[in-house]
Amino acid sequence: MGQYFHSVTLDRDKCRGCTNCIKRCPTEAIRVREGKARIFEERCIDCGECIRACPNHAKSALTDRLERLSEFEYTVALPAPSFYGQFRRTSTPETVLRALLGVGFDDIFEVPVAASAVGYAVRTFMNQASRTRPLISSACPAVLRLIQVRFPALLDHIIPLESPMEVSAQLARKRAEAATGIPRERIGVFFVTPCAAKVTAVKQPVGRAKSAVDGAISMSEVYGAAVSHLKDAESGRRFQVALASGLGWGRAGGENAEIDQGELLAVDGIHNVITVLTEVEKGRLTDVDFLEAQACVGGCIGGPLVPENPFVARANIKAMADMVDSGNPRPPFGEDELAALYDSGVFTMVETIPPRPVLKLDEDVTRAMAKVERLEETLARLPNLDCGSCGSPTCRSLAEDIVRGLAFETDCLFKLRERVRDLAAEMKELAEKVPPSMDQPSGSERTPEVG
Amino acid sequence: MTSVPGAPVLTMSFDIEGRNFKASGEASGRIKRTLEQVGLDWNVVRRAAVVLYEAEMNIVIHAHRGVLRAEISPQKVVIVADDEGPGIPDVSLAMKRGFSTAPAEIREMGFGAGLGLPNIEKHSDQMSIETEVGRGTKVVAVIMVPGGAPDVTPPGATQADAT
C-alpha cells in the first residue's frame, strides 16, 4: 500500500481492459495498461463510479467483514440512514433494528439520530460564522476528496463539522462504556456502509487523525445477514427510534430538509457535483448559505454497496419516515442536550483538510509551463475522438500522460496507423528502387521473355 | 501588456461570441485548468478563475464579440478581455456594485447583477479599463503570484515562448 488507502480495488483476473471505467472516472484516475485497468492512487477519491461502471465486476470495495465482530467484547452497529430504505414498507424501523441486532451486535446506535444532531450543529454554525458562502456539507467523504483533488480553492467552504457517522461513533462508544463498564478499546463500533468512500473515511479519515469507527461493513453483507432475522423481529427489544428527518439523510435532499434554514442548494451524483462546484469556483452562488453535495445519484441510497434499487429505497424511506411521524415521536435529544453536545466539541472537525492537487504537470512552474505548450501541441496532432483505445480516457488526458512521460503518441491507434501507412508508403517507394547496375535506361522498351 | 524580456510567458487566447450563453464559461474554464497544470498557488488560481469568468461573461452579455486572453508567468497572471461592443459611457458608474446596463432578459437568466467589474477589481491586484462608446472595451486585470520566482528564466529551464 502506498501513501493512500483506497477501498476501491481491482480484481485483475476479472478485468478485461475495456474502457468503461476510465470513461466514467470523475478524476481521470484510471488508465488501461497491459490489458488491465490501473488506478492512480493520488487521484482516486473512492467515489465508486468505476464499481458501478464495470460490466465484469472487476472493481470492488474493500470492506470489513462481519467476522471482525469477534475481536471485541461488546459491539455496536451504526446503521446508515440508507439502511432503513432496504426494507419494504411492511417493516417498521424497530423491526429493522431488531433484525440488525440478530446479525450479532450487542447494541445499535442509529446514525440518523446523530444526523439530526448534526443538523442542529450546522444551523448553529451557520448562525455564528460569517464565513465564505456557500458552506459545503462535510457528510459525503467522496465529495471531500473530490474537493481536495479538483477544487482545492474551495476547501475553506467545507463546514468544519464532523459527519453523522463520526458523531454517532463517538456517542455510541460513550454510551456503551457507561452502560457496560467495558473499557473503550474492547468496544467495537461498526458502521453499516452504503459505499466505498465511507470505508476509506474510516481507514484514512480527513479532518481528524483517527476515526472513532472501528470498522465499516458492507450494507449488502449486513442486509443479507439481517433479512433472515426479520421474521423473529416483530416483537422484542424496544428502541427509541430516530426522527423521520434523520432517516431522510439517506436520500438526496434529506440533509437540507433537516437544516431547513437559509438559502439551500442540493446536488447529487458526482458528475453533477462537479458542475455545481465549478459554479461556486467561478464566484457564483455566493447567495447560497449551504450546499448539500452527494457523490451518488439519489444520495446514499444510490451507494455502490447498497443492495436495493435506489428508487425503491427512496420510497421505502419515505414510508418509514411517515410511520415514525404518525407515532408523534419524542426527539432523541432536547435543545439543552444539543447545546451541551455542541459545546463539548463532539461535532467539531479538528484538523483542516489539506489540498491534494494532482493536475500540476511539474513541481517547477517554468518547466510546467513548457509542458503545457507541449501538451497543447501534442493534443493538436491527436484525432480528438476520445475513443479511449489508448488506455487514457480522452485525447487530452493522453496528451497529459505523454508530457508526464507516462505514454507515447503511438499509443494512439490512429497515430499508429498513420505511422504504419507512412512506413508502408516509404517501403513501397524503397522497394521500387533498384541498384543502378540493374536499372534500365529510361525510355527503353523491355520485351517480355517468352518461355 | 508586454512581459519582462527573458521571462517565460504562456499565452492563451479565445474568441468569445456575444450572447452565446451556451458556450459561456468554456474559455475561462480552459484557462483555469491550465493555471492548475502550471501549478500556480491555488489562491491565485481561485482569484483568476473569478476574474476570467466575469471578464468572459462581460463580453457575452454586453459585446458583439471579443477575445479573452491570459498571459501566464511564474510572477503574475495577466487577463485581458478585449471586445467590440457598445463601450462604457460612465466607467465610475459601471464600477459601482449593483449598477448594470444588462437588459431584463439577461437579468432573468441570473446574470447582469452589476457585480462583474467590481468583482474583477476585488479579485485582482491591478485593473485598468480602456473604453470607447460605440467601439468597445478593453479590461486588463493583473493577479500577482505571492513569492513568485524572480523575473528571470532559471538556468537550464526551457524557454516557453508566447504563442
Side-chain angles (χ1 to χ4, degrees):
Chain A
M1 196 178 89
Q3 193 187 352
Y4 297 104
F5 168 87
H6 285 298
S7 170
V8 173
T9 50
L10 175 80
D11 181 341
R12 282 184 63 85
D13 294 336
K14 286 186 181 167
C15 178
R16 303 179 59 160
C18 71
T19 59
N20 282 294
C21 61
I22 61 172
K23 297 295 255 181
R24 294 287 301 163
C25 177
T27 57
E28 298 185 337
I30 316 174
R31 300 291 183 275
V32 178
R33 294 286 177 263
E34 292 155 5
K36 303 287 174 188
R38 184 188 293 171
I39 306 172
F40 289 165
E41 276 210 10
E42 68 282 7
R43 285 193 178 209
C44 174
I45 59 170
D46 287 293
C47 66
E49 278 296 303
C50 56
I51 297 178
R52 271 188 281 259
C54 181
N56 307 307
H57 306 293
K59 292 279 176 46
S60 58
L62 217 59
T63 57
D64 289 297
R65 307 307 303 266
L66 278 168
E67 287 82 68
R68 280 208 58 208
L69 266 57
S70 62
E71 293 172 21
F72 297 88
E73 197 172 318
Y74 189 86
T75 56
V76 186
L78 308 176
S82 48
F83 185 69
Y84 299 77
Q86 306 313 303
F87 300 86
R88 294 298 290 159
R89 51 194 63 203
T90 45
S91 307
T92 66
E94 264 194 312
T95 53
V96 166
L97 295 178
R98 285 189 203 111
L100 174 60
L101 211 54
V103 171
F105 295 99
D106 295 302
D107 196 10
I108 290 168
F109 193 102
E110 296 178 89
V111 179
V113 167
S116 293
V118 170
Y120 167 87
V122 171
R123 285 193 297 271
T124 309
F125 185 85
M126 273 164 71
N127 291 339
Q128 289 173 358
S130 58
R131 294 220 307 189
T132 324
R133 290 292 200 261
L135 289 162
I136 300 171
S137 168
S138 63
C140 175
V143 169
L144 295 189
R145 282 159 182 77
L146 174 75
I147 295 174
Q148 282 185 293
V149 168
R150 283 201 47 181
F151 300 94
L154 300 183
L155 281 167
D156 63 355
H157 285 254
I158 297 170
I159 193 161
L161 297 174
E162 277 299 351
S163 67
M165 176 185 78
E166 284 297 337
V167 173
S168 60
Q170 293 177 63
L171 297 177
R173 195 180 304 275
K174 200 174 277 179
R175 192 173 76 181
E177 245 183 311
T180 65
I182 296 169
R184 51 192 304 122
E185 65 276 7
R186 299 215 311 259
I187 299 169
V189 177
F190 289 91
F191 182 64
V192 181
T193 183
C195 66
K198 281 287 188 193
V199 181
T200 302
V202 167
K203 306 288 176 195
Q204 198 177 61
V206 295
R208 60 190 296 130
K210 191 178 176 302
S211 173
V213 184
D214 293 299
I217 305 171
S218 163
M219 193 171 288
S220 292
E221 184 179 352
V222 175
Y223 174 79
V227 162
S228 58
H229 295 282
L230 264 185
K231 58 182 188 318
D232 315 318
E234 291 301 326
S235 61
R237 185 165 156 188
R238 300 307 306 265
F239 290 92
Q240 200 228 320
V241 293
L243 295 180
S245 63
L247 296 179
W249 284 59
R251 56 164 178 85
E255 195 178 338
N256 278 356
E258 173 92 70
I259 292 163
D260 194 27
Q261 171 186 305
E263 288 293 322
L264 304 171
L265 186 70
V267 57
D268 58 299
I270 194 79
H271 296 281
N272 301 328
V273 170
I274 289 172
T275 65
V276 172
L277 292 180
T278 303
E279 293 297 313
V280 176
E281 204 171 41
K282 286 173 187 167
R284 300 189 72 199
L285 305 180
T286 48
D287 54 340
V288 173
D289 291 308
F290 187 81
L291 175 65
E292 172 194 314
Q294 301 194 67
C296 295
V297 173
C300 297
I301 46 174
L305 304 180
V306 172
E308 182 59 279
N309 176 294
F311 299 93
V312 176
R314 190 180 174 91
N316 289 348
I317 284 193
K318 171 82 168 63
M320 226 172 258
D322 289 346
M323 225 181 282
V324 172
D325 263 346
S326 65
N328 285 322
R330 193 167 54 88
F333 298 109
E335 281 287 315
D336 292 351
E337 280 174 287
L338 286 170
L341 279 175
Y342 192 85
D343 293 336
S344 77
V346 69
F347 300 116
T348 312
M349 189 186 273
V350 284
E351 292 180 7
T352 54
I353 304 177
R356 230 168 87 188
V358 294
L359 285 177
K360 72 166 110 167
L361 296 173
D362 201 292
E363 284 306 314
D364 179 83
V365 172
T366 312
R367 278 204 299 270
M369 284 168 61
K371 285 186 182 173
V372 166
E373 299 236 318
R374 260 188 62 214
L375 190 159
E376 295 295 335
E377 288 160 17
T378 309
L379 182 62
R381 288 195 297 272
L382 293 175
N384 280 296
L385 293 171
D386 294 342
C387 70
S389 304
C390 60
S392 301
T394 60
C395 290
R396 179 167 279 277
S397 61
L398 173 63
E400 278 180 37
D401 291 347
I402 291 169
V403 299
R404 285 179 200 275
L406 303 171
F408 301 100
E409 212 162 308
T410 46
D411 290 349
C412 170
L413 288 184
F414 299 89
K415 296 305 285 183
L416 183 68
R417 202 174 59 174
E418 233 174 66
R419 281 282 300 278
V420 170
R421 191 190 57 201
D422 293 351
L423 266 175
E426 209 175 313
M427 279 174 73
K428 185 164 171 279
E429 195 189 311
L430 282 173
E432 280 164 357
K433 287 201 163 97
V434 285
S437 56
M438 294 168 71
D439 208 358
Q440 300 291 323
S442 61
S444 74
E445 280 169 30
R446 298 177 70 181
T447 38
E449 271 177 55
V450 180
Chain B
M1 202 88 205
T2 51
S3 53
V4 181
V9 176
L10 187 68
T11 303
M12 296 181 82
S13 182
F14 295 89
D15 291 331
I16 311 293
E17 237 182 280
R19 294 292 167 114
N20 185 352
F21 286 92
K22 194 83 194 121
S24 69
E26 268 176 25
S28 40
R30 286 278 304 279
I31 299 172
K32 192 213 129 198
R33 189 180 170 97
T34 299
L35 293 172
E36 287 172 329
Q37 287 174 326
V38 166
L40 292 182
D41 176 82
W42 48 267
N43 200 32
V44 171
V45 178
R46 174 181 33 197
R47 293 169 67 206
V50 174
V51 172
L52 284 162
Y53 179 69
E54 295 289 5
E56 182 176 358
M57 289 316 296
N58 272 346
I59 300 176
V60 174
I61 294 168
H62 299 287
H64 309 309
R65 69 188 67 80
V67 173
L68 181 71
R69 193 167 76 238
E71 294 158 9
I72 306 161
S73 75
Q75 297 77 38
K76 63 185 180 215
V77 181
V78 180
I79 294 157
V80 183
D82 199 350
D83 74 47
E84 289 168 38
I88 306 171
D90 186 341
V91 173
S92 60
L93 200 57
M95 288 303 298
K96 284 209 176 100
R97 285 186 89 77
F99 176 83
S100 176
T101 56
E105 73 267 21
I106 298 231
R107 287 162 177 267
E108 195 60 37
M109 295 170 76
F111 298 105
L115 299 173
L117 288 175
N119 259 350
I120 293 176
E121 188 181 41
K122 183 180 157 195
H123 289 94
S124 57
D125 293 302
Q126 292 164 38
M127 177 200 180
S128 66
I129 303 176
E130 282 169 43
T131 184
E132 196 184 329
V133 174
R135 295 293 292 274
T137 302
K138 183 179 179 183
V139 177
V140 180
V142 182
I143 297 162
M144 301 304 295
V145 178
D151 247 357
V152 288
T153 312
T158 322
Q159 171 81 44
D161 287 319
T163 46

